[in-house]
Amino acid sequence: MSADVVPGQELEPITDGKIDKGETAYVDVTVATLWTDPDAPRKMDEPALDHPVDLDKWNENLKDTDDRRDLTGKVETQAVYGSEVTVLKIKSDWAEVSIKDQKTPKNKKGYPGWLPTKQLTENDRFGQLKEDQPRAVVTKKKSTLEGIEFTKDTGADVSFNVDLPLIAQDVDDVRVALPGGGAAWIDADDVNVYDVDESPKKPSGKDLVETAKQFDGLRYLWAGVSAYGFDCSGFTYSVYRAHGIDIPRDSGEQAKVGKAVSSSDLKEGDLLFFSTSSGTVHHVGMYIGGGKMIHSPNASKDVYVTDWKSWDKGNEFSGARRIL
């Protein structure tokens, strides 16, 4: 597949340099963390609040399970580099936004939360390119931007599910437009390329499982949706999204999509749900065959494969759903 080359001058951002209520903006850091309010972050969370973010340092700060568990109730979700958001409110140097591609009943415009405004960019040019150009979607856990042009600093790396406009490609690399303006190259082996309005081919359950397994051993992160850490539903949401299938962001809503299947008729890629005694869904995993599931269970654990019935010591299984 080939794409039209966009001259450098056409990559300059169209922006007034401000982030205002009601505008469309784009995430301009590797992964933006959305908080419940601007006062929620702790001192140890500072590496996740800057531009650029230092997510390796943040994970290092969160090596203690209690510190990681304490994110519950402080963080809503995350958004990867280039994600489109709607600005709902501005409060000093923070913005409340909704993430377009994360479905939730909390807001019809997408999953809401607060982040520092410096982690956003307002750029109508990028929006136009997203509509008019083919796209390159990162399939590897992490990749790098190389040969950066027409911008001083992207402020980001690229990771799993980052989706950027394609403006050129050769055998070894693809050239993509960046949210803040300019362009860079990404290794062609690290992305899938789709033409305008083209979707990924429908995956098999085996395809979903293969994608999920590449994150085996990744540390759990409450609200996480990236290769730097997942929570349970962020994991299943992200795996399905990588194959062009949008499911809701949270487990309770995921349990309402697709069709119900019996635990005796499970297939690879089915989602398994677990509920409290009151019936509230609190956990989701993905069935991988052989009586096993892969999941991201809690702050003390990594993503891992387990026999799902043996793991469910509290008999909390509340049903399975087939999305495919």
Side-chain angles (χ1 to χ4, degrees), residues 89-108:
K89 295 178 184 177
I90 296 292
K91 182 179 180 181
S92 185
D93 53 357
W94 283 73
E96 184 183 23
V97 302
S98 58
I99 306 171
K100 178 182 177 182
D101 295 326
Q102 295 186 21
K103 297 176 184 177
T104 175
K106 295 182 179 183
N107 191 303
K108 64 181 181 181

Side-chain angles (χ1 to χ4, degrees), residues 217-295:
L218 179 68
R219 186 78 185 271
Y220 175 98
L221 180 68
W222 174 264
V225 298
S226 84
Y228 293 89
F230 292 107
D231 65 10
C232 68
S233 58
F235 181 50
T236 50
Y237 160 83
S238 298
V239 170
Y240 268 89
R241 181 163 179 75
H243 290 275
I245 299 173
D246 284 329
I247 61 175
R249 168 62 181 84
D250 289 339
S251 58
E253 297 304 310
Q254 290 178 11
K256 300 174 184 178
V257 299
K259 65 177 182 179
V261 292
S262 167
S263 61
S264 62
D265 187 35
L266 295 173
K267 295 182 179 179
E268 290 174 307
D270 288 347
L271 298 182
L272 308 179
F273 295 94
F274 303 86
S275 300
T276 62
S277 57
S278 65
T280 301
V281 173
H282 68 86
H283 186 60
V284 59
M286 178 180 289
Y287 187 71
I288 66 169
K292 299 183 182 298
M293 73 173 175
I294 187 168
H295 65 155

Side-chain angles (χ1 to χ4, degrees), residues 3-50:
D4 293 334
V5 175
V6 178
Q9 62 267 28
E10 294 188 21
L11 292 170
E12 294 178 1
I14 300 175
T15 177
D16 61 8
K18 298 185 297 181
I19 302 294
D20 295 316
K21 178 180 177 180
E23 288 188 323
T24 295
Y26 301 94
V27 171
D28 197 37
V29 292
T30 303
V31 180
T33 301
L34 274 62
W35 303 82
T36 54
D37 63 71
D39 296 325
R42 307 156 298 179
K43 179 73 173 176
M44 68 180 67
D45 300 319
E46 288 182 358
L49 304 176
D50 214 340

Side-chain angles (χ1 to χ4, degrees), residues 66-82:
D66 287 340
D67 289 334
R68 194 169 286 255
R69 185 178 290 124
D70 191 46
L71 286 172
T72 305
K74 292 181 170 64
V75 181
E76 296 283 7
T77 188
Q78 292 183 315
V80 297
Y81 184 57

